Amino acid sequence: MLTITEAERRQSGRETDTQLTVVIPVFNESACLFAFHRRLQASMEGLGRWRAMYVDDGSDDCTRLVLRKLLYDHANISVIRLSRNFGKEVAVTAGLDHADGDAVIVIDADLQDPPEVIPALVAEWRRGFDMVYAQRRARAGDGWLKRVTASLFYRLMERLGRVRLPRNVGDFRLLSRRAVDAVRQYREHHRFMKGLFASIGFASTAVPYDRTPRYSGRSKWTYWRLWNLALEGITGFTVMPLKIATYLGMMVAVFSLIYGGQIVLRTVIFGNSVPGYPSLMTVVLFMGGVQLMTMGVIGEYLGRVFNEAKFRPLYIVEDVFDYDVLADPVTDKTVLELERSAAAA
Ligand code: UDP
Ligand code: MG
């Protein structure tokens, strides 16, 4: 970890005439977007040149039209539309791939990450940090089950993996140009962004903030998806489960040997023992269970090798919009109504 004095020496060029790019993954957020963009705009005031880069992750509500309306009304917006829903991780990656600028900020569109924190992130970057993550103070809006499972996951990752994950940190963060370039070199398909961000290194720091409940709609993170994310985190950053499987197998083998020896001895001394059925079943079922589990663990890794080995593109871009390519104003009634209600709030 670099100290701030060392970092401060490298701050050249971050004070004047910088370009900031804000990457916003968007999936069916038509209800939030106008309100989000207004708050974003207010927060970026006085930070120099900036650009909002919305990545439309294959939305199927009127998000597309809302984005066109924003494009039409503002000069500093780009919209990248992916050909289908690829998931937030990939949407953020597409944004990072397309983002120019001296620093890139990644933020959710649902206003759970308050845009008002961005100036503080930028200030830390100007002091010389390459990775500035916004750290939640309170998990408002999260139930106890989510809090407990999240804490368990962080503890497990710290035990198993080599990278230290900062706690209570999401994708809401600022990356310097070279941090973005570093992250872009990670092209794996199973993307555990938190882990990727943590593993590139560089001088990093946290800015605390309070997370608010979603502005509208509901989180797309069901427990099933969270469980899969946790699996992604573990299998993406450590092969410890494979080792555990090996040692578990060894332990069971040794135990069975001892147990088998004891049965042989008993038979030799006390004669044939027919009523051994329960113990036999127990051992057979136990062994079967252990074998299936170990095979499952191996399968998780093998499946990932299979997916990576196909070398498929991470995402497909349907189109990229900048201000000048658009001619017609948006007249869709729903969209205009959404804009009006956001302005009234
Ligand atoms: N998102 C996305 N693709 C998806 C799911 C979500 O781009 O498949 C975006 C979503 O529009 C939002 C951000 O990622 O801007 C976070 O999504 P969500 O609020 O569902 O996640 P949570 O806040 O619960 O982590
Ligand atoms: Mg959210």
Side-chain angles (χ1 to χ4, degrees):
M1 189 85 175
L2 289 168
T3 65
I4 182 59
T5 36
E6 277 175 82
E8 267 172 338
R9 262 190 272 129
R10 299 183 287 97
Q11 72 180 357
S12 56
R14 291 185 180 181
E15 283 298 343
T16 50
D17 195 36
T18 53
Q19 153 90 39
L20 304 173
T21 305
V22 184
V23 166
I24 310 123
V26 178
F27 178 56
N28 293 348
E29 300 283 9
S30 57
C32 309
L33 275 177
F34 285 117
F36 171 82
H37 193 79
R38 275 206 338 170
R39 274 177 62 183
L40 178 69
Q41 214 172 6
S43 310
M44 299 305 287
E45 201 86 33
L47 293 179
R49 281 182 299 131
W50 68 282
R51 166 168 292 278
M53 185 166 276
Y54 288 96
V55 183
D56 183 354
D57 188 13
S59 303
D60 48 21
D61 65 349
C62 61
T63 295
R64 180 181 210 156
L65 285 173
V66 171
L67 288 174
R68 281 190 76 127
K69 178 83 174 93
L70 285 173
L71 259 176
Y72 191 83
D73 292 341
H74 304 276
N76 59 338
I77 291 187
S78 334
V79 174
I80 302 162
R81 187 174 160 82
L82 305 183
S83 60
R84 63 168 165 89
N85 179 249
F86 282 89
K88 183 188 174 185
E89 268 72 30
V90 172
V92 168
T93 308
L96 292 179
D97 287 346
H98 288 80
D100 48 356
D102 306 298
V104 177
I105 296 131
V106 179
I107 186 171
D108 286 359
D110 60 7
L111 287 172
Q112 273 189 300
D113 306 336
E116 290 75 23
V117 178
I118 292 177
L121 300 182
V122 173
E124 291 297 328
W125 167 68
R126 294 214 159 118
R127 285 175 68 201
F129 288 104
D130 285 292
M131 175 81 73
V132 189
Y133 38 77
Q135 194 162 36
R136 299 192 277 278
R137 248 193 236 108
R139 276 178 164 253
D142 279 356
W144 66 270
L145 189 58
K146 190 155 175 189
R147 271 197 293 250
V148 168
T149 45
S151 148
L152 267 177
F153 170 71
Y154 282 118
R155 271 221 289 247
L156 190 68
M157 278 300 283
E158 252 160 54
R159 282 275 172 83
L160 294 181
R162 283 167 61 102
V163 285
R164 250 191 85 88
L165 292 183
R167 293 266 181 127
N168 288 341
V169 162
D171 293 334
F172 183 21
R173 62 185 68 217
L174 178 147
L175 291 88
S176 69
R177 183 71 252 163
R178 60 180 182 178
V180 172
D181 292 340
V183 170
R184 286 182 55 192
Q185 291 176 43
Y186 289 72
R187 299 316 287 181
E188 60 238 63
H189 283 248
H190 292 272
R191 305 184 78 74
F192 179 62
M193 290 312 267
K194 244 181 257 195
L196 290 192
F197 286 144
S199 65
I200 63 162
F202 288 131
S204 57
T205 189
V207 169
Y209 77 104
D210 292 308
R211 194 165 172 86
T212 44
R214 280 183 74 92
Y215 178 79
S216 72
R218 49 201 295 256
S219 173
K220 281 119 202 155
W221 289 101
T222 58
Y223 276 104
W224 177 242
R225 282 184 80 166
L226 278 174
W227 162 250
N228 280 314
L229 182 69
L231 268 191
E232 227 52 91
I234 292 166
T235 52
F237 282 87
T238 167
V239 289
M240 190 59 97
L242 289 177
K243 285 190 191 159
I244 293 175
T246 312
Y247 289 120
L248 197 66
M250 264 159 71
M251 256 167 52
V252 171
V254 169
F255 174 78
S256 322
L257 259 182
I258 296 171
Y259 187 59
Q262 186 233 14
I263 289 176
V264 169
L265 265 183
R266 269 233 311 252
T267 317
V268 168
I269 297 169
F270 302 109
N272 191 7
S273 59
V274 180
Y277 180 70
S279 54
L280 195 68
M281 265 325 262
T282 315
V283 172
V284 168
L285 288 179
F286 180 63
M287 286 299 293
V290 169
Q291 280 172 351
L292 278 181
M293 196 187 78
T294 356
M295 269 164 62
V297 172
I298 296 169
E300 285 287 331
Y301 283 94
L302 188 65
R304 280 164 177 77
V305 172
F306 174 65
N307 279 336
E308 301 293 350
K310 285 187 282 194
F311 292 112
R312 289 189 177 167
L314 272 175
Y315 54 86
I316 311 276
V317 175
E318 189 172 314
D319 37 43
V320 179
F321 282 123
D322 286 312
Y323 181 64
D324 42 355
V325 299
L326 279 167
D328 310 328
V330 177
T331 51
D332 186 271
K333 274 205 210 76
T334 341
V335 172
L336 296 181
E337 185 49 46
L338 280 171
E339 186 179 32
R340 219 170 305 129
S341 63

